[in-house]
Amino acid sequence: MRKSLEKYYRIDKLPHIWCPGCGHGIITGAVVRAIDNLKLDKDKICIVSGIGCSSRAPGYLNFNTLHTTHGRALAFATGIKLARPDLKVIVLTGDGDCTAIGGNHFIHACRRNIDITTVVFNNSIYGMTSGQYSPMTPLGAYATTAPYGNIDRNFDLCKLAQASGATYVARGTVYHVPQLIKIIEKALQHKGFSVVETLSICPTYFGRKNKLGSPVKMMEMLRDNSITVKAAEKMPREEMVNKIVIGEFFEENAPEYTEEYMKIIQRAQGEE
Amino acid sequence: MTMTSKPRLMQGNEACVEGAIAAGMRFYAGYPITPSTEIAEIAAERLPKVGGKFIQMEDEIASMGAVIGASLAGLKAMTATSGPGFSLKQENIGFACLTEVPCVVVDVQRGGPSTGQPTLPAQGDVMQARWGTHGDHPIITLSPSYVREVFDMTIRAFNLSEKYRVPCILLMDEVVGHLRERVELPDPASIKIINRKRPDLSKIEYYNPYQDYDGDGIPPMVNFGEGVPYHVTGLIHDITGFPSTKPEVTEYLISRLMRKINDNLDEIIDYEKFYTEDSETVVVSFGSTARSVIRAVKILRREGQKVGMLRLKTIWPFPHKAIQELPPTTKNIIVAEMNFGQLIEVVGASAKGRFNVIGLNKYNGELISPDEVIAKVREVNKNA
Ligand SMILES: Cc1ncc(C[n+]2csc(CCOP(=O)(O)OP(=O)(O)O)c2C)c(N)n1
Ligand code: SF4
Ligand SMILES: [Mg+2]
């Protein structure tokens, strides 16, 4: 780690709980680098998470950090942001945390377009509870609760976010780190609800259950299967199967929730 | 408190919002549910006028989360609901208990279980208010009987919650919530407001968010965004706020959480005694049921029956002393509650066989009437 980045970490809380080869540390590092590149005021940043391996990330980060209940990070974050719109609120969440138990909060946070950046650590599995399928587990994949293969169709999180009203939507992976940092920077600078889905790897459960080999092999799969949004536009449908489309999907300027609420306050006070 | 406002007709739910704003509430998150909805509607109208924030969340779980987030960010925050929503809030109420985030949760009780009877009164959430969330945890629960008392008690709920850094539940019921009474509100300047204890950061080298600096079991609180980064987690944590599985850390935390309430019972517990000095039978009640009991006791006293009333304003922590200090003349306790018999279990434990403890229960969506109280007291006194 670069010396200049140490101030963002709670070094005394290391080593972290993640398994060797886990992708979550890479995403955490990318978030820190994006914050550093943007020179954001450290004291004005608030990082909120739910429950899961991914949601343990804030504990290692030296900001106002809040490790909430499973799936509810966005609800807590909404309270913080509305109470203190001057704070930069970042949510770190897992695919299960965000799209299963927290799915309702996710679509409503998108819809409100509240100025929160959500980074989803998508390892396609429930890591913390040791490998059950999540709403992001691909069709046919194996999990401890899908011993015969998964018949649940998975979400396309970016489409879900966009359809729900998020105003910045992008996808990255733990293989494409420089690009991931750039995307997170853009998400942090965006006014409104921004979503960065990041494909992570869980060698311990998803990897093992699906016989994907070493963490290195899993990283190579991310490398080999990823194509950019631009390339995907030109690609025939049949070739798109099993491809991971990465890059920016959507960006729009729309009224931001806490700013709209300030107008409500002005209106209410003007009436008196 | 001096009275300055003109008397006006006010509903219990409205008095709740007025009390909350007087106490300093500047954030409300909720989800509509009968018979609590007016609280959300009035909060939506009133809060922006005082620079506060209102948000209607997607459900009660989210409402409770948002309230905790806002309180951590420094605003006094409240949510209101009824049975089904109260059930949904429980996990995050436990989060607030463990992380010691002040907040007020109003439960305007209706008939249950499940969707039950949305428009009818009940007092079936007494035990849920105490034990609705899992694990050992502290909680304070207050229960008002009159509209004016809703106002005062909402303020008290905020004050206790801020002082002890514990969620405070205001256990109302459909009758108290929807009742309209003439009330005079006190001069705002005369209202005692308690704010969360803050650390003197100039005297502290390194702020530990869960350190008992003052020895009273209540750690001083820094709000998020005040330049002192710290960690909050729903995992069992040490004084630094970080997770721990050590037995001594676990035991210390849980016992401190209980101690900060148990060491202050005299301040937290409030009740009203009425004709208990020489009574043979005492009727214990709370909330709207107590209104019928008072009328009944007055009528019975005119007949010469030796009967009194103990009206619990604080339900949790339970006022054991109030039961144990009943005079030697007392032989019987009637526990009147609109449920199948919840508080009676605790009264019985408190009585330790010294009194005959009898239930007067109604769970059909109707109020317990003064006549029913009268009949029960006569029956008990005759048998005695
Ligand atoms: C209410 C509740 N239900 C279930 C759990 C158990 N649980 C903890 S983490 C988790 C799944 C986490 O998966 P994900 O969000 O994908 O995070 P990962 O561990 O994969 O990073 C579950 C089901 C819980 N803590 N709380
Ligand atoms: S179980 Fe999976 S997600 Fe959790 S730390 Fe291990 S590798 Fe990472
Ligand atoms: Mg996962």
Side-chain angles (χ1 to χ4, degrees):
Chain A
M1 192 195 305
R2 255 192 286 143
K3 199 94 192 130
S4 64
L5 295 179
E6 273 183 12
K7 62 173 185 277
Y8 298 112
Y9 288 92
R10 291 169 173 144
I11 304 287
D12 58 323
K13 300 301 166 197
L14 298 170
H16 53 68
I17 61 154
W18 296 313
C19 310
C22 176
H24 288 352
I26 298 173
I27 307 177
T28 310
V31 171
V32 164
R33 281 164 181 82
I35 289 170
D36 186 58
N37 292 346
L38 295 174
K39 311 236 166 334
L40 298 179
D41 180 354
K42 219 173 123 295
D43 292 337
K44 288 267 146 67
I45 293 177
C46 194
I47 304 188
V48 186
S49 68
I51 298 291
C53 296
S54 31
S55 291
R56 286 300 193 97
Y60 307 116
L61 300 176
N62 195 20
F63 303 91
N64 302 287
T65 52
L66 178 60
H67 179 223
T68 69
T69 46
H70 191 25
R72 319 301 175 194
L74 278 166
F76 286 73
T78 298
I80 294 172
K81 184 67 191 181
L82 186 53
R84 285 282 307 267
D86 61 312
L87 296 181
K88 183 101 216 142
V89 180
I90 303 169
V91 167
L92 306 183
T93 171
D95 50 308
D97 197 62
C98 178
T99 67
I101 192 163
N104 200 31
H105 310 309
F106 178 71
I107 58 172
H108 288 280
C110 290
R111 175 179 63 81
R112 288 188 192 102
N113 195 35
I114 187 163
D115 188 23
I116 294 172
T117 296
T118 297
V119 180
V120 186
F121 294 44
N122 177 13
N123 55 8
S124 315
I125 201 87
Y126 288 172
M128 177 138 273
T129 45
S130 36
Q132 301 77 26
Y133 63 90
S134 92
M136 301 296 291
T137 304
L139 210 57
Y142 292 91
T144 56
T145 46
Y148 305 106
N150 179 31
I151 58 166
D152 280 34
R153 280 152 41 105
N154 59 285
F155 277 128
D156 180 326
L157 187 71
C158 290
K159 282 187 182 156
L160 178 67
Q162 187 180 338
S164 304
T167 48
Y168 180 84
V169 180
R171 184 184 287 127
T173 87
V174 293
Y175 179 82
H176 306 85
V177 176
Q179 188 190 4
L180 178 62
I181 296 170
K182 277 274 156 307
I183 288 173
I184 298 174
E185 278 176 35
K186 280 204 69 178
L188 288 171
Q189 285 171 297
H190 176 80
K191 183 175 295 272
F193 194 74
S194 53
V195 179
V196 178
E197 179 192 348
T198 308
L199 287 244
S200 185
I201 57 168
C202 171
T204 305
Y205 295 111
F206 192 79
R208 216 188 284 163
K209 268 275 151 198
N210 290 284
K211 303 195 168 54
L212 299 179
S214 69
V216 175
K217 279 247 157 55
M218 292 179 78
M219 289 293 255
E220 284 168 358
M221 283 180 63
L222 287 179
R223 179 194 62 198
D224 298 341
N225 293 332
S226 295
I227 56 166
T228 62
V229 175
K230 273 215 174 68
E233 278 165 6
K234 293 181 209 123
M235 196 173 264
R237 262 191 99 98
E238 34 321 333
E239 281 177 44
M240 287 289 292
V241 183
N242 292 330
K243 286 280 181 285
I244 305 162
V245 185
I246 58 172
E248 293 176 311
F249 292 90
F250 186 68
E251 189 175 3
E252 172 191 59
N253 280 323
E256 190 276 326
Y257 192 82
T258 61
E259 288 187 354
E260 292 303 298
Y261 200 88
M262 290 316 288
K263 293 182 197 160
I264 296 258
I265 291 180
Q266 283 162 4
R267 225 179 294 158
Q269 294 185 342
E271 267 173 26
E272 276 189 334
Chain B
M1 288 183 187
T2 48
M3 307 290 179
T4 53
S5 85
K6 278 203 209 107
R8 63 188 247 232
L9 210 54
M10 195 182 270
Q11 194 190 47
N13 283 344
E14 185 184 355
C16 177
V17 180
E18 291 302 331
I21 288 176
M25 169 181 76
R26 290 299 177 270
F27 187 93
Y28 180 99
Y31 189 82
I33 183 167
T34 306
S36 76
T37 305
E38 295 83 1
I39 297 179
E41 290 169 343
I42 299 164
E45 203 234 315
R46 292 280 283 116
L47 270 173
K49 289 191 174 164
V50 296
K53 316 278 172 71
F54 168 92
I55 186 168
Q56 181 171 310
M57 295 299 284
E58 51 274 17
D59 60 31
E60 288 85 349
I61 302 172
S63 307
M64 196 62 223
V67 157
I68 297 169
S71 180
L72 268 170
L75 298 189
K76 289 190 186 177
M78 179 174 99
T79 184
T81 187
S82 186
F86 196 42
S87 293
L88 288 178
K89 287 185 195 293
Q90 294 299 334
E91 188 192 7
N92 284 342
I93 290 176
F95 183 90
C97 293
L98 184 69
T99 56
E100 302 176 73
V101 179
C103 54
V104 173
V105 180
V106 183
D107 174 19
V108 188
Q109 295 168 95
R110 62 192 224 177
S114 192
T115 309
Q117 285 176 318
T119 58
L120 298 181
Q123 294 177 314
D125 303 351
V126 173
M127 284 299 170
Q128 189 183 20
R130 179 65 193 92
W131 294 116
T133 197
H134 56 281
D136 292 314
H137 60 275
I139 202 100
I140 296 175
T141 302
L142 311 178
S143 186
S145 302
Y146 311 98
V147 173
R148 170 56 203 265
E149 197 172 57
V150 172
F151 179 87
D152 295 338
M153 248 186 217
T154 308
I155 296 171
R156 197 165 128 78
F158 271 98
N159 284 347
L160 291 172
S161 175
E162 289 282 321
K163 177 161 185 183
Y164 295 107
R165 295 190 59 181
V166 67
C168 190
I169 304 207
L170 189 71
L171 198 61
M172 313 226 296
D173 57 60
E174 190 275 336
V175 173
V176 176
H178 281 162
L179 191 79
R180 284 178 195 277
E181 286 180 318
R182 276 170 72 84
V183 292
E184 291 175 72
L185 297 184
D187 173 6
S190 72
I191 297 172
K192 191 176 163 231
I193 304 289
I194 300 176
N195 295 320
R196 58 193 66 173
K197 187 168 71 177
R198 319 272 279 146
D200 182 351
L201 291 171
S202 66
K203 295 206 180 100
I204 296 171
E205 206 177 313
Y206 183 83
Y207 171 68
N208 285 317
Y210 294 101
Q211 186 170 336
D212 182 11
Y213 289 99
D214 305 318
D216 57 0
I218 310 161
M221 184 169 170
V222 172
N223 299 323
F224 273 11
E226 292 180 337
V228 185
Y230 68 95
H231 188 54
V232 175
T233 176
L235 287 163
I236 297 289
H237 44 266
D238 60 18
I239 60 168
T240 70
F242 285 89
S244 170
T245 50
K246 290 192 185 124
E248 62 277 14
V249 169
T250 310
E251 193 173 316
Y252 170 79
L253 174 60
I254 299 297
S255 53
R256 179 177 62 72
L257 292 180
M258 304 313 267
R259 175 164 65 87
K260 69 182 180 180
I261 300 303
N262 292 339
D263 282 358
N264 295 288
L265 295 181
D266 286 343
E267 195 200 328
I268 297 168
I269 288 174
D270 192 13
Y271 50 84
E272 180 192 11
K273 285 180 183 167
F274 189 63
Y275 285 122
T276 51
E277 309 76 34
D278 61 345
S279 52
E280 238 171 79
T281 298
V282 171
V283 185
V284 174
S285 69
F286 58 96
S288 63
T289 305
R291 303 167 67 100
S292 297
V293 175
I294 291 187
R295 280 202 46 198
V297 167
K298 280 184 186 157
I299 293 167
L300 287 162
R301 275 279 161 179
R302 263 182 253 133
E303 285 178 10
Q305 299 266 9
K306 292 232 181 320
V307 60
M309 180 198 70
L310 177 63
R311 180 167 76 90
L312 306 183
K313 300 191 201 177
T314 305
I315 306 226
W316 306 114
F318 185 78
H320 287 289
K321 229 162 91 180
I323 302 287
Q324 282 148 15
E325 285 177 359
L326 286 172
T329 50
T330 311
K331 296 196 187 89
N332 314 303
I333 295 178
I334 297 172
V335 184
E337 45 184 341
M338 279 187 280
N339 58 44
F340 203 79
Q342 296 193 12
L343 208 61
I344 192 171
E345 300 283 341
V346 196
V347 175
S350 207
K352 295 195 175 105
R354 209 190 110 195
F355 313 104
N356 220 351
V357 181
I358 305 126
L360 172 54
N361 304 94
K362 224 167 160 185
Y363 37 87
N364 64 355
E366 285 179 350
L367 280 172
I368 295 175
S369 70
D371 284 347
E372 287 166 316
V373 179
I374 290 169
K376 192 77 181 178
V377 171
R378 282 191 187 133
E379 179 195 316
V380 168
N381 279 1
K382 201 183 299 156
N383 293 342

